[in-house]
Amino acid sequence: MSHLSHLPADSLQGEHCAKGTAFITPIASGPEDKAWEWQMTLINMDQEVEFPAHDDLRRQFVPLDASVDITFPDGRTQHLSRFQMAEFDGANDPQACLPSVPTRTFNLKLRGDAQGELMARPLNGTMVLLAPSGWRWFVLLLSGRANVIADHRSQQLEANDMLWIDPIPGHPIRIEGGGEIVLARLPTAKTHQ
């Protein structure tokens, strides 16, 4: 049977980055916290934030509350609207992020051959998720209300609630409601926070 596991927001511990320009909250990493192949973080920023240089990872990045401008070492600037996804790697490593107004951003970092998929979007009605064997879903409800239904289990979500979904392969997961949602499809991990 599919498993739904609520992740209480108050169980997460964040801290200011070294320069104090952003508040970073690690959400989860796997398969181990220290030797992770994937990592999810939520970053609150109200001013320009430097991206640490990473040659060894790929990053999927999305602004959640407002648009941002991403700058690169070669002088390029990339504008990202709210919910617009960007992907960065060693060949396209950003230098800094400047929000138009205070915003949260969501990061999915992947190392080596690790795979994962991040998306942010409005939720209006019913959404159906599928996960092949070896995959799970992470859900963050940004606003509104939703009900997650997997087999005969269900979980009500309010704004800022987070949930892990470990589905039976091939069994659809339904998310019903209205609001805004962040979803990450990740490989099944032995441990998670």
Side-chain angles (χ1 to χ4, degrees):
M1 185 169 284
S2 296
H3 183 70
L4 305 176
S5 178
H6 183 257
L7 179 62
D10 58 5
S11 70
L12 302 176
Q13 300 296 317
E15 62 184 8
H16 286 280
C17 67
K19 294 193 175 182
T21 56
F23 191 79
I24 302 171
T25 304
I27 295 175
S29 55
E32 300 172 17
D33 289 339
K34 299 286 184 202
W36 55 266
E37 295 175 7
W38 59 263
Q39 181 185 68
M40 293 187 296
T41 57
L42 187 64
I43 301 174
N44 292 58
M45 60 178 71
D46 60 7
Q47 59 184 299
E48 187 173 60
V49 175
E50 289 183 20
F51 276 98
H54 292 292
D55 292 331
D56 65 335
L57 62 80
R58 293 161 286 128
R59 179 195 314 258
Q60 296 177 33
F61 175 90
V62 62
L64 301 179
D65 305 306
S67 63
V68 299
D69 287 323
I70 305 292
T71 58
F72 296 86
D74 64 6
R76 287 180 298 127
T77 299
Q78 180 179 357
H79 180 79
L80 295 177
S81 301
R82 184 172 182 254
F83 290 170
Q84 185 178 356
M85 191 71 54
E87 294 189 36
F88 306 116
D89 58 23
N92 186 35
D93 208 13
Q95 183 175 27
C97 177
L98 178 63
S100 58
V101 297
T103 186
R104 295 169 293 170
T105 64
F106 200 97
N107 286 270
L108 172 60
K109 299 176 188 176
L110 302 168
R111 282 187 178 146
D113 294 332
Q115 298 296 310
E117 180 183 10
L118 179 64
M119 62 188 95
R121 53 165 288 176
L123 173 65
N124 187 14
T126 301
M127 172 187 286
V128 177
L129 305 177
L130 296 174
S133 181
W135 292 88
R136 67 195 315 218
W137 287 96
F138 171 81
V139 177
L140 164 59
L141 187 68
L142 294 172
S143 65
R145 299 178 126 182
N147 187 30
V148 178
I149 303 161
D151 297 316
H152 301 291
R153 297 176 186 263
S154 67
Q155 175 73 50
Q156 294 286 329
L157 298 179
E158 303 283 336
N160 298 313
D161 279 348
M162 292 175 271
L163 182 72
W164 281 106
I165 305 170
D166 291 291
I168 294 173
H171 286 223
I173 308 299
R174 288 194 339 262
I175 302 177
E176 299 176 347
E180 296 170 325
I181 195 167
V182 174
L183 298 163
R185 190 178 72 146
L186 295 159
T188 302
K190 296 173 186 157
T191 61
H192 61 83
Q193 292 181 336

